Amino acid sequence: MSKSLETLQSEIIKDAKKGFPILLAGSIVFFIFTFLPLLFPMKAVYLIWIFGLGAIFPLGILLGKLFGIDILKAGNPLGTLGGIVGGAQAFFIPVFVIVYMHIPAYLPFTIGLLGGAHFLPYMWIYRSKAYLFVTLGVCLSSLVFGGFFVSQAFTLVPIAICLVYTIAVLLILRELKSDL
């Protein structure tokens, strides 16, 4: 007998805790990104931004394991859907490389907008308004700080994303508490 969509959503919300360890990992990575311009030449910073993003998912899995949370939730089709939504970001890498090759100052803008937009489906998967906050917060801050304050974008965009992710984690934890 197959489970209802509502049952599958309830199970993934409970087991994956609405995916908050991934957002926590993103917050940590973007916090580190904030200081990269102080430590490395900008050519290195550009490349760290492109390839350093790859650390978010494994760090999120590790944090999930530390918290006893099953982020991957095998056996639940909504877990598979979440993986597909997240995995689609791999197709953004060529966009990031082209931006790096032609207008690297716009990497925070591009990465923030494309990365932020991918969170919107999680609002439905996890029944969480926090993911709408993430999508809007990351996209708008990337647009404003990465599009209009380009000279400071490699500092302003990552700290803004870090703050948005951190607030979203707190919102999710509050949602989980109220779900009980």
Side-chain angles (χ1 to χ4, degrees), residues 81-143:
L81 176 61
I84 291 168
V85 168
Q89 286 191 98
F91 294 102
F92 299 160
I93 295 171
V95 174
F96 302 155
V97 170
I98 289 172
V99 171
Y100 162 72
M101 290 169 36
H102 297 285
I103 44 172
Y106 283 90
L107 277 170
F109 167 81
T110 307
I111 288 171
L113 244 96
L114 292 176
H118 105 279
F119 284 107
L120 191 58
Y122 293 104
M123 180 181 133
W124 178 82
I125 292 170
Y126 291 130
R127 287 189 237 140
S128 173
K129 291 179 183 170
Y131 282 99
L132 177 60
F133 173 77
V134 170
T135 299
L136 294 175
V138 170
C139 289
L140 289 173
S141 62
S142 298
L143 173 65

Side-chain angles (χ1 to χ4, degrees), residues 6 10 20 64 67 99 123 137 143-144 146 149 154 174:
E6 190 172 312
S10 295
F20 86 82
F67 293 128
V99 171
M123 180 181 133
L143 173 65
V144 171
F149 298 94
F154 282 92
R174 188 168 70 184

Side-chain angles (χ1 to χ4, degrees), residues 2-140:
S2 62
K3 297 178 181 179
S4 72
L5 180 58
E6 190 172 312
T7 301
L8 291 170
Q9 279 181 305
S10 295
E11 286 177 1
I12 199 162
I13 287 167
K14 179 180 172 248
D15 296 339
K17 302 290 186 237
K18 298 189 178 189
F20 86 82
I22 299 293
L23 290 174
L24 184 59
S27 185
I28 293 166
V29 168
F30 278 102
F31 181 76
I32 293 167
F33 280 12
T34 302
F35 301 100
L36 293 178
L38 302 173
L39 304 171
F40 299 102
M42 285 311 291
K43 286 188 179 196
V45 171
Y46 304 149
L47 293 172
I48 294 169
W49 264 71
I50 293 171
F51 297 105
L53 294 170
I56 294 173
F57 185 71
L59 179 58
I61 298 296
L62 176 65
L63 290 172
K65 289 204 181 295
L66 291 174
F67 293 128
I69 299 169
D70 185 6
I71 296 293
L72 299 175
K73 194 54 191 147
N76 186 324
L78 293 179
T80 303
L81 176 61
I84 291 168
V85 168
Q89 286 191 98
F91 294 102
F92 299 160
I93 295 171
V95 174
F96 302 155
V97 170
I98 289 172
V99 171
Y100 162 72
M101 290 169 36
H102 297 285
I103 44 172
Y106 283 90
L107 277 170
F109 167 81
T110 307
I111 288 171
L113 244 96
L114 292 176
H118 105 279
F119 284 107
L120 191 58
Y122 293 104
M123 180 181 133
W124 178 82
I125 292 170
Y126 291 130
R127 287 189 237 140
S128 173
K129 291 179 183 170
Y131 282 99
L132 177 60
F133 173 77
V134 170
T135 299
L136 294 175
V138 170
C139 289
L140 289 173

